[in-house]
Amino acid sequence: MSAHSKLGTVTLVGAGPGDPELLTLKAARLIRSADVVVYDNLVGSGILDMIPSTTDRIYVGKKAGQHTLPQDDINRLLVDLAHSGKRIVRLKGGDPFVFGRGGEEMEELIAAGFDVEIVPGITAALGAAAGCHFPLTHRDHAQSCVFVTGHLKNHSIELDWPALARPSQTLVFYMGITGLGIISSQLIAHGLPGDTPAALIFKATLPEQRFVPTTLAELEETATAEAIRPPALIVVGSVVTLAGDRS
Ligand code: SAH
């Protein structure tokens, strides 16, 4: 603890993509020894089962028919909890710093004078690739791999489409299921062939995991036909053809 910090320490812990065996040893240790665990809907039930019954659990995810607790409220809650001097674990799906708003939580806590520790987790893209047996890069297929948010803002997605539409690149879209039409049409408009292999991956590394192969042009149609809903990733690039039929 630094000389300037107040009592509490908050650890932002990556819970990985779902399979409890994909937790780091450090994450498992901290989950078992926390006084309070603050978690949301991407944290798998197998991981929640590891929280001791004496530990306070605070759920800040979506409840049926309601929205997630606004991020400002989560930030404030973490600061309030940190004041208690207890060991606070903020458990987040995947890695806390990949599309997880962990950066904002860290900033707020540091601004309030607390120490923040970060424990990385396996991000969904890595879990999906391993769980569905396809590489993210491969000498014959892709020399780069880009993790992209497919989150809609005002019914559009503001991205550098010309850069994303480059050949020999794997694209992994997080939070993209509601923006599939835009993703397909923009990538095709910027030069990627409509028959570029693609895949939808639902609940990677969990027992419900589904790997649905398709093409860039047919992404939206396939997602509708196969009733793919979040949490799911969209992968665009020929690496997905290596997945075969294994999942
Ligand atoms: N911090 C997380 C990502 C949070 S954004 C991470 O590093 O993985 C939430 C999005 O992550 C979801 O909409 C979905 O696109 C993706 N996601 C998280 N877990 C997933 C899983 N097990 N399978 C497929 N996609 C997942």
Side-chain angles (χ1 to χ4, degrees):
M1 202 180 286
S2 75
H4 304 292
S5 69
K6 296 181 191 163
L7 208 54
T9 295
V10 179
T11 312
L12 306 186
V13 178
D19 178 354
E21 292 208 298
L22 293 176
L23 274 178
T24 60
L25 294 174
K26 194 166 189 176
R29 176 173 59 76
L30 289 165
I31 290 168
R32 291 200 177 101
S33 60
D35 296 313
V36 184
V37 175
V38 180
Y39 68 99
D40 40 45
N41 43 316
L42 274 178
V43 179
S45 58
I47 291 165
L48 295 178
D49 289 345
M50 294 169 57
I51 304 173
S53 55
T54 48
T55 300
D56 288 342
R57 298 173 185 216
I58 303 178
Y59 176 68
V60 292
K62 280 181 192 148
K63 297 213 175 77
Q66 286 176 11
H67 287 292
T68 315
L69 202 62
Q71 189 64 43
D72 284 349
D73 293 357
I74 297 176
N75 296 348
R76 212 166 305 125
L77 172 71
L78 292 174
V79 170
D80 288 349
L81 288 169
H83 277 289
S84 70
K86 292 180 175 167
R87 284 164 298 186
I88 314 298
V89 164
R90 168 62 170 125
L91 195 54
K92 301 174 78 74
D95 182 87
F97 282 171
V98 179
F99 304 126
R101 305 191 74 171
E104 292 161 57
E105 296 177 5
M106 179 184 72
E107 284 176 310
E108 287 281 335
L109 286 158
I110 289 175
F114 295 104
D115 281 332
V116 182
E117 268 182 57
I118 314 295
V119 179
I122 294 180
T123 192
L126 307 185
C132 304
H133 301 95
F134 65 88
L136 290 168
T137 64
H138 185 292
R139 288 166 73 92
D140 301 335
H141 293 268
Q143 278 66 52
S144 59
C145 172
V146 188
F147 296 168
V148 196
T149 174
H151 187 66
L152 289 174
K153 258 191 208 160
N154 304 323
H155 306 290
S156 74
I157 311 175
E158 286 157 28
L159 291 171
D160 183 354
W161 295 108
L164 295 178
R166 287 195 192 123
S168 301
Q169 178 165 264
T170 304
L171 304 175
V172 183
F173 287 90
Y174 289 64
M175 300 173 284
I177 296 303
T178 50
L180 278 170
I182 298 174
I183 291 169
S184 287
S185 58
Q186 287 285 3
L187 289 175
I188 292 169
H190 288 86
L192 271 189
D195 62 1
T196 302
L200 297 152
I201 298 139
F202 173 69
K203 289 212 173 178
T205 79
L206 288 163
E208 309 94 303
Q209 171 178 293
R210 288 178 65 200
F211 175 84
V212 180
T214 182
T215 61
L216 178 58
E218 285 164 355
L219 268 174
E220 192 171 30
E221 209 181 301
T222 307
T224 307
E226 298 284 334
I228 298 290
R229 48 184 210 285
L233 292 173
I234 303 144
V235 182
V236 178
S238 61
V239 287
V240 296
T241 61
L242 304 177
D245 245 349
R246 293 194 231 192
S247 54

